[in-house]
Amino acid sequence: MGRYVLRRVAQAVGMLFLVMFVLHLLTTLAIQLNGNPALAFFGDKIPSPAQVAAVEQRFGLDDPCYDQPGNPCLGPFVERLGQYAQGDLGTNLRGREVTDIVASAAPNTLRLFVMVTITWLVLGMVLGSVAARWRGSPSDHGIRLTSVLIDALPVFVLLLVYKEVVTVPLSGWAKETFGEDSWPPYWFKPSFDPEHPWATVAVPGILLGLAGSAAFIRLVRASQLDSYGGDHVRTARSKGLNEGRVVVHHVVRNSSIPVVTAVGLTFAEALSGAVITEGIMNIYGMGGVLWDAVQSSDVGLVLGIVTILTAVTVLVMIVVDIAYAALDPRIRYE
Amino acid sequence: MRQARIATFAAGAAVVALTVAGCTPSDTVEDDGPVTLKLTIDQDMETLFPGDSGIADNIAILDVVYDGLVRYDPETKEPYNYVAESIESDDNTVWTIKIKPDLTFQNGEPVDAAAFARSWNYTAGHPELYSNYFFERFKGYEEMQDEIDDEGEVVKESPVEELSGLTVADDLTLEVELNAPFAGFATMLGYTGFYPVAQECLDDVEACAVKPIGNGPFQITEWDQGVSVDAERWADYTLDETPEDIDAINWREYAGASSWSDFEAGDLDVSYPPPADLAAAQEDPELSERLAEAPGAALTYIGFPLYEDGPWQDKEFRKAISMAIDRETIVDQLSGGLATPADSWVVPDGVPGGEAGTCEWCVFDPEAAKAALEKAGGWPDGETLTIGLSNDETEIEYFKAIGDSIEANLGIPYELKPNPDFSSVRSEQGFDGIFRNNWFPDYPLNENYLAFYAVGEEGAGNFGWYDKEFEDKLAEGDQAATLDEAVVKYQEAEAILAEEFPTIPFRFNAGAEYYSERLDDVVLDPFSGAVRVRALTVTE
C-alpha cells in the first residue's frame, strides 16, 4: 500500500509538471500573439517607453522572449519552477500574492463543493437505491423521468431562474415571516454574502448539485441492479439473511465503487459548474478567479491556480483509489 | 460498518453545514443602530493606492477616504479650493500652493506640504503607477525616469528620486514649477493621483494599497479583496464636506455581474438594472421616483488606422462612415438609458469648454454619406471592412449595429473582430480597419479629451494621426493667462480635430442609478457617474 501511494505520488508530480509546462506554453503564446497585457494597462493613453518597461517589469513580463512569437520562454518557466519549489506561488499581474488570492477564494468554492457533494450523495444514493430496489414500479419510472428532466435543464437556467425570479420575493417573505435576524432570509439572498458564507452558499450549492445529480442517480441505480442479480446476493439470501442486511451490506456496499469513482471524476467537472454558479451568485471563488485570470492573460495567476487545482485533483484520485480497497476486499494494492 | 460511517459522515457534514449556516446572522441595518450605506464596486478593482487608482470604482471610494487640494462643483464643474487655502500663479508655470493649517491624516500625521511632495515624488518616480503620466508636466520628471533602449530594456536606472520642480517652501507652502505653462493646473489637482499620502503609507506601500491611510471623512477598516470593502466614519474629521447621517459604508464587489437582484431584495442602496430588467424598472411608478440621472463624461468613438494605406486616408471616406451611422436609433435601442448620441469630442455641459454640435458630420444623412463615399472613390470591390473591438458583449452589440448601419447605407460589407487583448493591439497599431475607442476623462477640463491626440510626431499614437497646428493650439491653451482663456484655445483645438476628422464621436455615457427609499439628496457626479456620497442624507 505504501509503495503504491508513493508510486502514485511520483506519477502525480510528473503529470503536474507536464500540465504546468503545457499551460506555460499556451499562455506564453497567447501573450506573444495577442500582445502584451502591460500595454492594456494604459488604455487610451500613449505610454512612454519608460512607462511600458516599468509596467512590464511589474507584471513580470520584461523578459524579451515574450516579444518573440514561438519562443518557449524557458527561462521564466524555470525561474517560476524554482519559486514553486520554495513554496512561493508568486503574484498575479498586479502584485497580489497567489496564495493570498487562493486563501480567500478557495474556502468559498470548497463550501460550494461540500453542498454539491452532499446533494449528489443524498439524491443519488436515496433515489438510485429506491429505483433499483423497486425496479419497474411507478416510483422507479418517476425517478427515471425526474432524472431526464433534470438533465434537460441546464444549470445556468436553473440558477438564473432562481436568482432572477425566486430569490427576491422569497427573501422578502422570509424577512417578514421569520424576522431580519433569522436564518431563512440569508438562505434566499440573491447573491453571496461574505459575512454569512455557509447560509448564502447553501441553496446555490444544492441547485448545482441537483443539476449534476441525474447521471448519479442513474449510475447508482444501474450498479445496484447489477448487484441485485449477483451471485453473492443470491448466496446471502439463501443463507437466510434478512433483506435489510442483504441490501445494506451486499448490494449498497458492493455497488459503491463506481459511485466513488464518479465522485472523484466529477470533482474536476464540478469546477466548471462552479464558474457558472460563482459568476451568477457573485461568489468569490476559484472558478471565477481562474476565469478572469485566463481572460486577462495573467500567466502567473493561471499557472499558480491550475497547479493547485491539479494537485488537489490528483490527491482526490489517490483518495478514491484507496477508498476502493476499503470498499472492495478483493482489491489490494502492491 | 464502513458504509454506516460514510452515512454518518454525510449526515454530520450536512448538520455542520446547516448549523454554521444558521448561527451567524447578526448585524443587518437596524432601525436605530449605526447607518451603513451599501454600495457596489462594478469592475475588477486591484488597488486603493491614490497614485495607482484609475478606474471609476476606486476613484469613487477614495473620494470619501481622501481630501484633495481642490474639489469640483457639481453644477459648474469648476474646481474650488478644499485642502488648499490658495493656488496661485503669475505665469502658469510656477505655482504656489498654500495648504490649510492643522489638518491630519487618519493616523495622526500632519497633512502638510511634505505630505503632498512625498506623494507626488513617489508617483512621478514610479512609471508603473497609473497616475505617473500626470507628472510629465512637472519640471524634473524626465530626469527621474530610467533610460530605455530601443528594445524597451532598462539600460540605466535614474538615481534621481525627487522632482526638481517641486519644493517645500515651508510647512504649508508648496512651490511647483512646470516644464511649460499650463492654465488648467489647478483643475488637475483634484484628481486621485494628487492626493497626499502619509509617511506610514510609503513605508509599506503594499499594505497601504489595501488599507489606505486617508485624510477624508471615512477610513477603510477592511478590504477583503474580490469580495467587499468596509469603511467607517473617521471621528476626528475637521472639514465640512461629510455626510452626517452615514456611520459606515460597505462596497460589495460585483466584477461585472449584475447587482440588481440584491437591490430589489433590499440589500443595496444604489444599483441600476441590466437591460433585461430595465423595462420593468422603468414601468414601476414607485421606483421611477428614485432615479438619479446625470450626463456622463466617457466618450466612445471610432478610430481609423491612419498609419496604414486605405480608403480611410481620404477625409471624405471618414465623413461617409460617420454620416452613415444612425447614432440616435442605435443608442436609443441599445443604451437602456445609459448613453446619449455624441456630436462632439468633449462632453457638452459635462466639463468646461464642452459644447454640443462641434462635429459637423455626426448627423445621420445617408444621401450625403453616399455622395462623400463616391467623392472618396468608393470602397474597393470584394474587400470587407473590419471593426476591431474588445470582447465586451455590450460593445459587440453596439458595433454590430454600427456595422449594419454602414452596410445598409453605404453597401460596405463588414466583419466584427472582437479581441480580448484589444487595447494592446490598438497601441501597437495592429488594426487594419476601423476600431472602437473609449475615453474616460481624468479631470473636468476639455483639454483632457484632446491632449492624447498630441503625439508629437508623424505616424505615432493609436491612430497614426499628427497635426502640428492642433498641437500648437493645445500649447497655446496651456500658456493662456487664465483658465477661461485656455478653455477657448482648447475649443479651437477641438475645431481643428473636427475639421481634420481623424476620429468619429459615437456616444457619451450617461449616469443613472436607482436608489433605496431611505436615501435623499442623491446627486450623481457628472464626471464619474457615481453617487456623491458626501452630499447624501439618509432617513430611517
Side-chain angles (χ1 to χ4, degrees):
Chain A
M1 186 76 172
R3 272 180 56 200
Y4 172 78
V5 171
L6 216 65
R7 203 169 64 228
R8 283 300 303 261
V9 169
Q11 278 173 358
V13 170
M15 188 167 99
L16 194 63
F17 179 80
L18 204 70
V19 168
M20 282 169 64
F21 186 61
V22 169
L23 263 173
H24 166 81
L25 286 184
L26 287 176
T27 38
T28 305
L29 197 67
I31 290 174
Q32 289 162 345
L33 295 181
N34 284 333
N36 200 323
L39 283 173
F41 179 75
F42 294 99
D44 274 80
K45 295 184 189 73
I46 295 149
S48 70
Q51 286 165 344
V52 175
V55 174
E56 280 187 349
Q57 196 183 8
R58 172 181 185 174
F59 286 5
L61 299 172
D62 48 345
D63 196 295
C65 75
Y66 287 110
D67 300 327
Q68 302 154 2
N71 187 325
C73 284
L74 291 178
F77 182 62
V78 171
E79 208 173 297
R80 197 184 300 280
L81 282 186
Q83 276 179 3
Y84 282 12
Q86 290 164 5
D88 176 9
L89 284 175
T91 65
N92 72 350
L93 282 186
R94 299 297 299 267
R96 192 177 167 204
E97 294 282 338
V98 171
T99 38
D100 181 34
I101 294 174
V102 171
S104 112
N108 293 333
T109 305
L110 283 178
R111 285 186 186 102
L112 201 60
F113 280 7
V114 167
M115 296 313 295
V116 168
T117 314
I118 291 175
T119 313
W120 277 352
L121 283 176
V122 170
L123 279 182
M125 292 308 279
V126 170
L127 294 184
S129 303
V130 168
R133 179 79 184 80
W134 290 283
R135 179 184 190 184
S137 71
S139 54
D140 179 23
H141 290 299
I143 288 168
R144 275 191 289 166
L145 184 69
T146 311
S147 77
V148 172
L149 284 179
I150 291 174
D151 254 353
L153 198 66
V155 59
F156 72 92
V157 175
L158 198 65
L159 284 164
L160 274 178
V161 168
Y162 170 67
K163 175 170 175 149
E164 300 283 328
V165 182
V166 181
T167 53
V168 174
L170 206 57
S171 66
W173 167 81
K175 267 183 205 169
E176 274 175 28
T177 315
F178 302 102
E180 294 241 351
D181 283 349
S182 62
W183 312 356
Y186 287 94
W187 293 344
F188 304 118
K189 256 174 126 63
S191 67
F192 180 70
D193 180 348
E195 309 264 318
H196 309 103
W198 278 107
T200 44
V201 101
V203 177
I206 291 172
L207 289 178
L208 180 60
L210 180 68
S213 64
F216 229 71
I217 296 172
R218 287 198 293 264
L219 182 74
V220 170
R221 178 179 178 276
S223 82
Q224 289 197 4
L225 279 179
D226 233 24
S227 289
Y228 275 115
D231 291 343
H232 65 289
V233 172
R234 199 185 48 200
T235 311
R237 282 188 174 138
S238 63
K239 274 200 304 191
L241 287 180
N242 70 42
E243 188 63 13
R245 194 164 168 81
V246 171
V247 170
V248 172
H249 276 249
H250 298 282
V251 176
V252 175
R253 176 174 169 180
N254 280 297
S255 55
S256 294
I257 290 182
V259 177
V260 170
T261 317
V263 172
L265 287 177
T266 32
F267 178 81
E269 201 184 301
L271 191 73
S272 63
V275 173
I276 297 166
T277 314
E278 288 171 3
I280 292 176
M281 303 308 292
N282 196 28
I283 300 168
Y284 186 72
M286 299 287 273
V289 168
L290 187 59
W291 175 264
D292 286 343
V294 171
Q295 285 210 318
S296 54
S297 300
D298 197 330
V299 198
L301 188 54
V302 171
L303 278 181
I305 288 184
V306 171
T307 304
I308 294 172
L309 288 178
T310 316
V312 171
T313 311
V314 167
L315 200 72
V316 170
M317 294 298 177
I318 294 178
V319 169
V320 166
D321 276 0
I322 293 169
Y324 283 172
L327 286 167
D328 188 340
R330 286 170 301 182
I331 297 175
R332 289 279 175 273
Y333 296 114
E334 295 303 330
Chain B
M1 283 307 284
R2 275 194 199 98
Q3 66 279 37
R5 252 180 270 138
I6 291 170
T8 316
F9 166 76
V15 169
V16 168
L18 292 175
T19 319
V20 178
C23 69
T24 41
S26 56
D27 51 352
T28 44
V29 184
E30 277 103 33
D31 288 342
D32 41 6
V35 176
T36 303
L37 185 67
K38 303 207 162 192
L39 302 174
T40 62
I41 296 170
D42 298 321
Q43 293 164 279
D44 277 328
M45 191 174 79
E46 306 279 359
T47 178
L48 283 172
F49 186 72
D52 205 18
S53 295
I55 61 168
D57 295 302
N58 49 20
I59 291 176
I61 292 177
L62 293 183
D63 184 62
V64 293
V65 174
Y66 281 92
D67 281 342
L69 288 167
V70 304
R71 288 182 58 78
Y72 304 104
D73 185 307
E75 289 299 314
T76 63
K77 291 95 193 175
E78 305 258 350
Y80 58 87
N81 292 336
Y82 196 60
V83 169
E85 189 87 66
S86 65
I87 302 172
E88 284 163 355
S89 173
D90 297 330
D91 57 0
N92 288 351
T93 307
V94 178
W95 293 80
T96 306
I97 301 167
K98 292 224 182 272
I99 296 159
K100 286 180 182 157
D102 304 326
L103 297 177
T104 65
F105 283 102
Q106 288 153 359
N107 68 348
E109 283 183 44
V111 174
D112 53 11
F116 284 94
R118 83 167 73 91
S119 164
W120 300 359
N121 280 326
Y122 183 84
T123 306
H126 287 81
E128 75 278 16
L129 298 182
Y130 183 85
S131 296
N132 173 271
Y133 73 101
F134 281 105
F135 297 92
E136 287 169 358
R137 289 183 185 274
F138 283 60
K139 195 170 178 201
Y141 174 84
E142 278 308 317
E143 289 74 26
M144 286 179 85
Q145 310 309 312
D146 297 341
E147 217 174 286
I148 307 286
D149 65 11
D150 292 341
E151 306 281 290
E153 304 295 313
V154 178
V155 238
K156 195 169 144 246
E157 289 194 14
S158 165
V160 186
E161 289 193 339
E162 288 180 359
L163 290 159
S164 60
L166 187 59
T167 328
V168 177
D170 63 52
D171 274 1
L172 297 175
T173 312
L174 200 57
E175 301 237 329
V176 177
E177 187 178 356
L178 304 178
N179 285 322
F182 177 37
F185 180 66
T187 303
M188 198 164 81
L189 293 178
Y191 185 65
T192 322
F194 290 94
Y195 290 153
V197 298
Q199 185 57 47
E200 189 186 333
C201 176
L202 284 198
D203 289 342
D204 188 350
V205 175
E206 262 177 50
C208 188
V210 181
K211 198 176 173 187
I213 302 162
N215 59 334
F218 286 86
Q219 62 187 125
I220 301 288
T221 47
E222 199 197 352
W223 176 17
D224 185 0
Q225 282 182 277
V227 184
S228 68
V229 179
D230 281 296
E232 61 184 29
R233 169 189 284 282
W234 177 38
D236 300 331
Y237 188 66
T238 51
L239 293 174
D240 17 284
E241 286 188 35
T242 172
E244 294 298 338
D245 307 332
I246 299 168
D247 302 298
I249 308 175
N250 169 268
W251 287 271
R252 274 284 281 135
E253 296 199 39
Y254 282 88
S258 167
S259 57
W260 186 246
S261 302
D262 287 329
F263 177 75
E264 285 184 298
D267 293 333
L268 283 174
D269 280 311
V270 174
S271 180
Y272 195 77
D277 294 320
L278 185 62
Q282 284 169 337
E283 277 161 23
D284 184 336
E286 196 265 332
L287 200 55
S288 303
E289 282 174 23
R290 293 185 271 125
L291 173 67
E293 289 178 290
L299 170 69
T300 299
Y301 58 105
I302 299 165
F304 294 92
L306 298 174
Y307 42 79
E308 281 218 354
D309 272 342
W312 38 78
Q313 295 293 350
D314 191 327
K315 187 168 90 183
E316 292 300 322
F317 176 81
R318 305 198 291 266
K319 278 163 64 177
I321 294 285
S322 176
M323 288 188 289
I325 300 170
D326 187 356
R327 294 173 179 73
E328 200 78 46
T329 310
I330 297 174
V331 170
D332 197 46
Q333 301 262 327
L334 295 179
S335 72
L338 287 177
T340 51
D343 60 1
S344 62
W345 283 264
V346 181
V347 62
D349 307 321
V351 300
E355 235 177 72
T358 57
C359 174
E360 187 189 341
W361 302 300
C362 285
V363 281
F364 177 53
D365 187 344
E367 290 314 310
K370 279 191 195 97
L373 182 64
E374 211 163 295
K375 215 167 148 193
W379 176 253
D381 270 343
E383 296 279 315
T384 304
L385 177 70
T386 59
I387 303 181
L389 69 166
S390 63
N391 261 350
D392 185 298
E393 275 169 42
T394 320
E395 293 306 326
I396 291 176
E397 269 188 62
Y398 269 115
F399 277 79
K400 186 169 179 306
I402 290 176
D404 288 344
S405 206
I406 294 173
E407 184 161 11
N409 295 310
L410 296 176
I412 299 177
Y414 76 95
E415 188 194 352
L416 286 188
K417 288 217 162 159
N419 186 331
D421 287 291
F422 150 82
S423 355
S424 344
V425 177
R426 186 176 54 193
S427 32
E428 285 167 352
Q429 300 193 337
F431 288 113
D432 53 6
I434 63 175
F435 52 93
R436 171 187 175 257
N437 295 273
N438 187 63
W439 177 251
F440 186 85
D442 301 308
Y443 47 88
L445 186 61
N446 56 347
E447 177 265 352
N448 194 241
Y449 284 85
L450 305 168
F452 61 88
Y453 285 99
V455 292
E457 55 178 323
E458 210 63 66
N462 287 351
F463 315 107
W465 182 77
Y466 169 78
D467 188 290
K468 173 128 196 344
E469 207 191 329
F470 170 83
E471 298 196 3
D472 288 348
K473 252 324 162 215
L474 278 186
E476 277 176 43
D478 292 348
Q479 287 155 26
T482 66
L483 187 60
D484 291 342
E485 285 170 47
V487 164
V488 174
K489 290 289 176 196
Y490 298 140
Q491 282 179 319
E492 289 172 20
E494 187 189 354
I496 295 173
L497 206 59
E499 183 54 38
E500 294 301 317
F501 216 54
T503 60
I504 306 176
F506 170 61
R507 69 169 207 267
F508 286 109
N509 284 13
E513 296 282 10
Y514 287 97
Y515 52 88
S516 62
E517 282 162 6
R518 61 181 188 151
L519 294 196
D520 242 325
D521 296 323
V522 182
V523 183
L524 299 190
D525 193 298
F527 182 60
S528 70
V531 169
R532 289 175 69 100
V533 173
R534 296 196 191 206
L536 283 179
T537 51
V538 181
T539 45
E540 285 282 0

